[in-house]
Amino acid sequence: ILRRAPGSATPPMLALRAVGAEGEVDWLVNGRLVGRSAGDAPLVHRFEAGGEQQIVAIDSHGRYDALSLSVAR
């Protein structure tokens, strides 16, 4: 479960990284493209919405992986 910092109004953020990826990596959260990173460079994403979130990373060779996490409201 990902939560805001205590006393903070800023939504939680994560540095997303696809270790071992080649070329550019497209990042999707809940099916929506949220950014692109180079190789295993991080993409910082702010989770504005609470609830279950699915994150998918797709590299330039079409390889992909996904994970789910929960963001506290």
Side-chain angles (χ1 to χ4, degrees):
I1 296 177
L2 187 61
R3 301 180 190 278
R4 295 176 191 250
S8 174
T10 303
M13 294 184 291
L14 280 180
L16 306 172
R17 179 175 286 156
V19 177
E22 295 179 11
E24 292 191 329
V25 177
D26 289 332
W27 292 95
L28 294 90
V29 175
N30 299 329
R32 186 175 60 94
L33 182 65
V34 296
R36 181 172 284 155
S37 62
D40 63 358
L43 173 81
V44 176
H45 179 70
R46 184 183 312 250
F47 290 87
E48 303 286 346
E52 292 296 314
Q53 310 289 316
Q54 182 183 38
I55 302 168
V56 177
I58 306 170
D59 76 7
S60 59
H61 295 283
R63 294 177 295 213
Y64 66 93
D65 205 352
L67 65 90
S68 295
L69 59 88
S70 183
V71 176
R73 296 181 194 266

